[in-house]
Amino acid sequence: MEKSKLIPYYNGSKWGFCDAQKNIVIPCKYDKVERFNGKLAKIFREKFDFTNERTICMLNCGLINDAGKEVLPCEYCIIGPFSENLAVICKTVNHVSQYGYMNTTGEIVIPLAFSQANDFKEGRAIVSRERYGSLFFIDREGKTCSKVYSKLQHFSEGLAAAFIDGRWGYINKNDEWVIPPRYKLVHPFEDGLTSVYVDNGFGYLGIDGTEYF
């Protein structure tokens, strides 16, 4: 994706964007901005919360394109980095955080229906519908594609570590146990190998289930 050449510009009170000759292209009306990532830039506006008998100043963020059009309004507390062309976004509604995902054009493609959300890895993301609840995987369309687990790790080389009944094992993208849960501590696979901890200490585990200890 071609990156915008616009540069953040501060006029002494607000932020906007200028070109290389310092000509203002997008008016200085934001409390904070970030550099363009492709054709989108993150913008911030102050928001005041007068609840609980005190005033809290927060920065809400949104997105604009390089034409200055607001793609996402400044209503979000989190707009994360892109991973596999999707980014986690979060909005606070009645002091409850709601998470979803947007694509590289700023379109919300997975609704804000989760209380936790993580970056996509190998076409899967770990989410939860409860703040500290069980975790499960969704695909790029937002469809549930696993059972719930008390703990999960992201997919790496086609397998993801899942925790059940006090032990870790590895599942595939069909939510099938490929390596049974018997480990106390695990890590994602890298080059077909990972380190694990069992009752008698650390060792290494191959992606085919071979134990090297």
Side-chain angles (χ1 to χ4, degrees):
M1 181 187 298
E2 184 181 354
K3 189 172 183 178
S4 172
K5 296 181 180 179
L6 296 181
I7 302 165
Y9 184 88
Y10 184 63
N11 70 358
S13 59
K14 296 288 183 179
W15 286 89
F17 292 87
C18 68
D19 61 20
Q21 288 72 45
K22 298 186 181 179
N23 298 309
I24 303 300
V25 178
I26 298 175
C28 298
K29 58 182 179 179
Y30 303 107
D31 294 305
K32 181 184 174 184
V33 299
E34 293 184 0
R35 295 177 63 181
F36 273 88
N37 181 9
K39 295 292 187 179
L40 298 177
K42 199 180 295 186
I43 54 172
F44 298 82
R45 284 195 174 104
E46 290 181 349
K47 178 186 177 183
F48 293 92
D49 187 342
F50 299 99
T51 59
N52 299 324
E53 298 181 351
R54 60 178 180 168
T55 302
I56 300 174
C57 179
M58 300 175 290
L59 278 177
N60 277 5
C61 56
L63 289 174
I64 59 171
N65 61 23
D66 59 356
K69 181 181 178 181
E70 203 166 274
V71 177
L72 275 184
C74 280
E75 298 175 352
Y76 298 86
C77 53
I78 294 173
I79 299 177
F82 286 102
S83 177
E84 300 185 359
N85 292 322
L86 293 174
V88 175
I89 57 175
C90 178
K91 180 189 290 188
T92 301
V93 179
N94 296 325
H95 303 285
V96 176
S97 296
Q98 299 175 345
Y99 290 81
Y101 295 84
M102 71 172 191
N103 63 17
T104 54
T105 67
E107 177 188 6
I108 298 174
V109 292
I110 299 177
L112 282 75
F114 307 105
S115 59
Q116 298 180 57
N118 295 271
D119 289 344
F120 272 86
K121 303 289 184 183
E122 298 189 4
R124 299 288 189 269
I126 301 168
V127 298
S128 176
R129 295 193 187 278
E130 302 173 5
R131 187 174 182 185
Y132 300 109
S134 298
L135 303 169
F136 58 95
F137 282 107
I138 58 170
D139 63 17
R140 294 176 59 85
E141 296 179 350
K143 295 178 181 178
T144 301
C145 50
S146 80
K147 299 183 291 293
V148 296
Y149 298 91
S150 55
K151 298 178 186 178
L152 282 172
Q153 295 181 8
H154 64 77
F155 273 93
S156 177
E157 301 185 8
L159 298 182
F163 189 81
I164 189 169
D165 296 331
R167 296 282 170 157
W168 288 94
Y170 290 86
I171 59 173
N172 62 20
K173 291 183 181 178
N174 294 320
D175 198 31
E176 301 165 330
W177 289 107
V178 176
I179 300 175
R182 79 177 205 91
Y183 304 99
K184 288 187 173 182
L185 181 67
V186 297
H187 301 90
F189 280 97
E190 184 176 349
D191 297 326
L193 200 65
T194 187
S195 59
V196 296
Y197 183 80
V198 289
D199 293 323
N200 57 347
F202 279 98
Y204 280 86
L205 177 69
I207 203 164
D208 61 354
T210 302
E211 294 178 336
Y212 297 94
F213 48 83

